[in-house]
């Protein structure tokens, strides 16, 4: 309990991966424009080229206004129908506003002394038929840029879990995770926790991974504060539950703040050496598409 209370205080003071800006983001957020996004990506690439960091995940906000109000539970049901294997979540802090999402990214799960995490980074769209879908999956697996982006997440999570665990087990190569509109590179990492390791200690060690922040962590978070136009609020934070001897947390991405007939939607992309600003913008568009369809259909 003390660990978790201390972490909550840290997030409220911190860079915004959990709590602070959410209840203000509705009034403050504006849609990120393509030109501003590309400028931010180029600045990040200059930092990477200069050797000051290796990866940064930049997020953007898209504002959608509908002719009528949105029912959060209907939106949540649409998200679940689109991607039943993702984590769906919703938090409502007043009568008018709710934070809702559908994330594929598991931060960790524990059962007794067993700890498991999942590294997700590297993205391509789904194909229009099986042949195209397989071709795109093969292209993702062979993409040097996406494999590099994925490797930073794997290396960082491995290092963090080695500090938490007595032994580690992981696959040597990533596999493909298929969602309704996207395919990702993913890799599972499991370990046996050291005696006495708390959920708070796991959260503090693993979050934020390079899949949502970047690497090295401190430098990437500083760039996020400098370059992103909209406060993240709850976007990218850990969301989950804690039980007796077990816990499970995901990373709150592919999400939106709903208020009346307005939805502020968030998505991000990992920037590494070789990233192209226009392609990264399109990746965020692809990530928003499933959510936009669910919101519009609701």
């Amino acid at each position: 309990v003390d660990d978790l209370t201390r972490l909550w205080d840290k997030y409220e003071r911190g860079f915004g991966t959990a709590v602070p800006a959410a209840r203000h983001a509705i009034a403050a957020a504006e849609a990120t424009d393509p030109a501003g996004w590309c400028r931010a990506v180029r600045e990040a690439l200059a930092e990477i080229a200069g050797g000051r960091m290796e990866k940064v995940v930049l997020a953007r906000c898209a504002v959608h206004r509908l002719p009528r109000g949105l029912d959060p539970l209907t939106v949540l049901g649409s998200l679940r129908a689109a991607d039943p294997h993702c984590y769906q979540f919703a938090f409502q802090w007043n009568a008018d506003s709710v934070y809702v999402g559908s994330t594929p990214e598991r931060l960790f799960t524990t059962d007794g002394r067993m700890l498991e995490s999942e590294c997700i980074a590297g993205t391509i769209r789904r194909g229009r038929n099986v042949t195209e879908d397989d071709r795109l999956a093969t292209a993702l697996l062979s993409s040097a840029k996406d494999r590099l982006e994925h490797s930073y997440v794997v290396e960082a999570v491995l290092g963090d879990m080695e500090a938490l665990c007595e032994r580690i087990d992981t696959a040597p190569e990533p596999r493909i995770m298929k969602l309704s509109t996207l395919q990702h590179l993913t890799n599972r990492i499991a370990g046996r926790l050291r005696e006495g390791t708390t959920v708070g200690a796991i959260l503090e060690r693993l979050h934020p991974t390079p899949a949502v922040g970047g690497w090295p962590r401190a430098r990437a978070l500083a760039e996020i504060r400098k370059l992103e136009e909209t406060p993240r609020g709850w976007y990218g934070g850990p969301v989950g539950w804690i039980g007796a001897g077990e816990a499970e947390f995901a990373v709150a991405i592919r999400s939106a703040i709903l208020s009346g007939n307005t939805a502020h939607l968030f998505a991000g992309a990992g920037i590494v050496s070789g990233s192209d600003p226009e392609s990264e913008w399109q990746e965020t568009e692809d990530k928003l598409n499933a959510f936009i369809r669910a919101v519009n259909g609701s």
Side-chain angles (χ1 to χ4, degrees):
V1 174
D2 290 342
D3 282 348
L4 294 172
T5 300
R6 179 170 50 80
L7 278 175
W8 184 268
D9 291 341
K10 173 183 173 182
Y11 289 144
E12 285 189 323
R13 296 193 307 269
F15 110 103
T17 55
V19 179
R23 67 189 61 196
H24 307 296
I26 294 166
E30 298 292 338
T32 307
D33 69 282
W37 167 268
C38 291
R39 183 169 56 252
V41 172
R42 285 192 291 270
E43 289 185 34
L45 287 171
E47 293 295 303
I48 292 170
R52 290 177 285 277
M53 63 180 177
E54 296 176 87
K55 175 183 178 179
V56 64
V57 179
L58 295 181
R60 51 170 286 226
C61 178
V63 180
H64 284 251
R65 292 183 174 86
L66 303 177
R68 53 189 169 80
L70 299 165
D71 174 41
L73 291 180
T74 305
V75 174
L76 202 63
S78 299
L79 293 172
R80 183 170 179 80
D83 276 312
H85 299 299
C86 288
Y87 294 89
Q88 284 80 38
F89 59 89
F91 294 94
Q92 188 159 5
W93 61 89
N94 60 41
D96 302 317
S97 304
V98 60
Y99 181 57
V100 61
S102 179
T103 173
E105 189 168 337
R106 172 191 291 172
L107 181 60
F108 70 88
T109 182
T110 65
D111 186 357
R113 289 180 62 187
M114 297 307 298
L115 174 67
E116 184 175 316
S117 185
E118 195 165 23
C119 305
I120 299 175
T123 304
I124 203 166
R125 64 178 176 84
R126 294 295 302 270
R128 290 164 291 187
N129 52 55
V130 173
T131 301
E132 184 184 34
D133 203 52
D134 290 344
R135 178 181 60 79
L136 289 168
T138 300
L140 180 59
L141 283 166
S142 59
S143 165
K145 180 263 179 187
D146 288 288
R147 292 292 289 260
L148 178 64
E149 180 183 343
H150 184 76
S151 71
Y152 290 134
V153 183
V154 173
E155 290 172 12
V157 173
L158 273 173
D160 288 336
M161 287 187 61
E162 284 170 357
L164 296 166
C165 297
E166 294 174 350
R167 60 176 184 267
I168 301 291
D169 175 59
T170 186
E173 294 290 325
R175 58 180 177 85
I176 294 291
M177 172 189 284
K178 291 182 182 287
L179 304 177
S180 61
T181 61
L182 300 170
Q183 306 183 69
H184 298 295
L185 294 177
T186 182
N187 204 322
R188 169 187 168 275
I189 303 175
R192 179 173 170 81
L193 285 167
R194 300 184 193 280
E195 187 73 44
T197 304
T198 65
V199 172
I202 299 169
L203 278 167
E204 188 163 28
R205 188 79 194 195
L206 289 179
H207 177 75
T209 75
V212 74
W215 192 256
R217 180 182 289 173
R219 181 66 189 181
L221 299 189
E223 284 299 302
I224 287 169
R225 295 187 193 99
K226 183 177 77 172
L227 295 176
E228 288 187 358
E229 298 177 1
T230 305
R232 288 193 178 192
W234 286 10
Y235 172 78
V239 52
W241 57 268
I242 301 170
E246 56 183 341
E248 186 164 17
F249 279 81
V251 182
I253 55 176
R254 320 289 164 84
S255 55
I257 297 172
L258 309 181
S259 180
N261 68 338
T262 302
H264 290 77
L265 300 100
F266 296 86
I271 312 303
V272 297
S273 178
S275 291
D276 172 71
E278 287 77 13
S279 297
E280 300 297 343
W281 173 269
Q282 184 58 51
E283 179 177 321
T284 62
E285 287 283 285
D286 292 340
K287 289 175 177 176
L288 291 170
N289 277 340
F291 204 111
I292 291 170
R293 283 203 300 271
V295 169
N296 288 338
S298 300

